Amino acid sequence: MHKRSIEFQVVRPRRLYEQVADHVRELVLDGTFPPGSALPPERELAEIIGVSRPSIREALIALEVMGLVESRQGGGNYVRADAGGLRMIPLSKGRDLGPGPIEQFEARRTIELTCAKLAAQRATPEDVLDLEQCLVRMKDLVARDVSPAAEHRCFHMTLANISQNQIFASAVAELWRVRDGKLWDTLRQKVDNKESWQLGIKFRAQLIHAIRNGNPAAAVAIMSDHFDRIGELYFGLAPQSDKTSREE
């Protein structure tokens, strides 16, 4: 009696942004949005498909990475003129772009607020000096009109390590690793500029001040404000901060 070998294929759940992206892809294929045409504004497209505006933004970023959609200077998203000749495989069956940026953002916000609180409770003078040196390097890069992206990561990783919680530190490291993927890279190009860098420097200086003074409530409030700004800038998300909780 021969045993027949059976191959199992693991099927991962379809992410929401993949489902939305595939829906837009189908609208291109059926001629609703032909090659070269402008897509409706995000708010209108969200109403057409029946999802939130941030989910539309994630899907459009994915379609831009896949080469179906292009974002033009001056605003607006367009179906690429050569879309008719592209091999448009459903996103969930083709290249895996990983968890959506909003999912990653939500995880980072939750973990890094706790890291900020613990850092303010546990930081040594040497830890504060490490953060200050990172900030000095960031200021130098921005003064030379060079993106401080590498120092952004260094600052957040240093903060996570100061929390003295290895699980949080490992999670932050992984979240920043996936942040180097194509989805975030495409998204970052749309909003990364000197003004944003300066705001990032201001946030870090305030956070260092709270940590140096051993003020966990202020550290959490400052970090929360930072994530509010990033969430609105990148995804149009409403602020979540409770301003009354801050203690200076």
Side-chain angles (χ1 to χ4, degrees):
M1 182 177 179
H2 297 287
K3 291 183 178 181
R4 188 171 59 181
S5 61
I6 301 176
E7 292 185 3
F8 291 95
Q9 182 179 4
V10 177
V11 180
R12 61 175 175 81
R14 296 185 70 201
R15 302 180 180 102
L16 179 58
Y17 81 86
E18 292 176 328
Q19 297 178 49
V20 176
D22 284 345
H23 192 137
V24 175
R25 163 189 162 275
E26 290 167 3
L27 293 174
V28 172
L29 289 173
D30 70 13
T32 302
F33 304 135
S37 66
L39 291 173
E42 289 178 2
R43 189 181 303 277
E44 184 180 337
L45 198 55
E47 292 175 357
I48 292 172
I49 297 179
V51 295
S52 69
R53 189 173 174 183
S55 295
I56 288 292
R57 187 165 297 185
E58 274 191 320
L60 291 175
I61 294 165
L63 290 169
E64 188 172 351
V65 170
M66 301 305 290
L68 179 63
V69 169
E70 61 181 356
S71 178
R72 295 184 183 174
Q73 191 171 8
N77 295 290
Y78 292 77
V79 180
R80 280 182 45 170
D82 60 353
L86 293 175
R87 186 179 175 213
M88 291 187 281
I89 301 172
L91 189 60
S92 55
K93 294 183 180 179
R95 180 179 175 189
D96 184 3
L97 296 174
I102 294 178
E103 244 187 316
Q104 298 173 36
F105 173 82
E106 289 173 343
R108 276 193 56 215
R109 181 182 188 120
T110 300
I111 294 171
E112 294 198 39
L113 259 65
T114 303
C115 287
K117 177 181 178 180
L118 293 175
Q121 294 171 336
R122 300 173 177 177
T124 65
E126 291 75 16
D127 291 332
V128 174
L129 181 60
D130 287 342
L131 291 172
E132 289 174 336
Q133 290 175 339
C134 180
L135 182 59
V136 168
R137 293 192 297 269
M138 289 176 63
K139 288 179 177 179
D140 178 65
L141 289 169
V142 171
R144 293 186 282 117
D145 205 24
V146 177
S147 171
E151 292 299 336
H152 284 171
R153 178 173 185 166
C154 176
F155 185 93
H156 286 269
M157 281 303 310
T158 300
L159 185 71
N161 288 325
I162 292 172
S163 77
Q164 298 179 27
N165 185 303
Q166 292 184 356
I167 295 175
F168 287 156
S170 296
V172 171
E174 174 61 14
L175 286 166
W176 276 83
R177 183 191 68 78
V178 297
R179 193 176 183 273
D180 286 336
K182 281 290 186 181
L183 287 174
W184 266 104
D185 187 52
T186 301
L187 183 59
R188 196 161 44 239
Q189 290 175 22
K190 300 176 186 296
V191 298
D192 214 17
N193 53 53
K194 199 160 186 175
E195 180 183 0
S196 178
W197 301 341
Q198 292 289 359
L199 289 172
I201 287 173
K202 181 180 178 182
F203 144 69
R204 286 165 177 82
Q206 292 173 337
L207 183 60
I208 291 172
H209 178 75
I211 291 172
R212 185 191 300 112
N213 290 343
N215 191 332
V220 169
I222 291 164
M223 181 67 86
S224 188
D225 285 349
H226 170 68
F227 275 101
D228 276 349
R229 180 178 67 84
I230 297 300
E232 185 175 7
L233 179 67
Y234 279 66
F235 309 111
L237 297 174
Q240 297 181 28
S241 297
D242 179 5
K243 308 295 184 184
T244 62
S245 67
R246 178 175 302 181
E247 298 177 11
E248 295 298 346

